[in-house]
Amino acid sequence: MSQASPIVNHRNAEFPIDAQFLERWSPRAFTGELISEPEIMSFLEAARWAPSSNNGQPWRFVLILRNDPEWDTLFATLNANNQAWVGKASALIAVASYQLVAKAGSPDLIPNAMHAFDTGAAWAYMALQANLQGWAMHGIGGFDKEAGAQVLKMPVHHTLQMLAVVGKRGDASTLPDTLRQREAPNDRKPLSSFVKRGTF
Ligand SMILES: Cc1cc2nc3c(=O)[nH]c(=O)nc-3n(C[C@H](O)[C@H](O)[C@H](O)COP(=O)(O)O)c2cc1C
């Protein structure tokens, strides 16, 4: 099993925050080792506690461990640039959202305008929890969502948002050249570019 290559993390916060926010990043080099279902359920447990509009909890997750029968068919839906590294991951978590919500005081279902927004919060909780447990989680939108939905037998009124790739960080030398050069935590825009006071 390959060792994780040393990583220099140049991330700096402009204001004090907990270190976990700077330490979570999305590697592509993985060891290919297996992950147990209880370990991954802790990631999903964290997602469960995300806030959502009216506590509607519109997130839905489908777990595929690398030895599961659906692994190969789901892997086949990935773009070539993602297939180049996802093969050494330990699990895929399909992140979907349910588009409808019960109308207050009624059994009727109405569109939930916040389903995607709330599901994004759950994904972020899950990714942070994975990092705290010593695993990496790398979101990907680069796959055929229609084909993915078929593999996953996704019901109507759901949106397949992304796949969360789960793995133990491995050695960057296992990656193709272009990806190896990018195998480090990236930076962010300055706060001043997206935070304003009073009005936009
Ligand atoms: C919804 C979503 C889709 C993404 N799609 C891809 C993808 O298809 N392939 C990929 O290599 N990375 C993908 N990423 C990873 C982002 O490029 C990465 O999160 C971003 O550069 C910030 O880096 P960090 O996660 O290391 O902090 C995706 C991330 C998110 C949240």
Side-chain angles (χ1 to χ4, degrees), residues 21-35:
F21 297 104
L22 302 176
E23 287 167 2
R24 184 220 56 82
W25 65 288
S26 303
R28 295 185 177 84
F30 292 125
T31 61
E33 67 197 78
L34 300 179
I35 186 168

Side-chain angles (χ1 to χ4, degrees), residues 4 9 40 55 76 93 105 125 133-134 137 146 148 156-157 165 182 193:
N9 189 335
I40 215 164
N55 203 15
I93 303 176
Y125 271 39
Q133 288 176 225
M137 193 175 278
E146 264 179 45
V156 289
H157 301 306
V165 181
R182 294 167 57 195
S193 70

Side-chain angles (χ1 to χ4, degrees), residues 11 24-26 28 82 85 138-142 162 186 188:
R11 289 176 165 180
R24 184 220 56 82
W25 65 288
S26 303
R28 295 185 177 84
N82 285 327
W85 58 272
H138 188 146
I140 56 168
M162 51 105 84
N186 55 17
R188 290 298 185 270

Side-chain angles (χ1 to χ4, degrees), residues 78-120:
L78 306 192
N79 294 354
N81 55 342
N82 285 327
Q83 285 189 344
W85 58 272
V86 175
K88 286 237 170 111
S90 311
L92 295 169
I93 303 176
V95 181
S97 55
Y98 181 51
Q99 301 155 358
L100 305 178
V101 68
K103 198 173 163 185
S106 149
D108 295 350
L109 294 171
I110 54 171
N112 177 1
M114 305 308 283
H115 69 94
F117 182 86
D118 291 345
T119 300

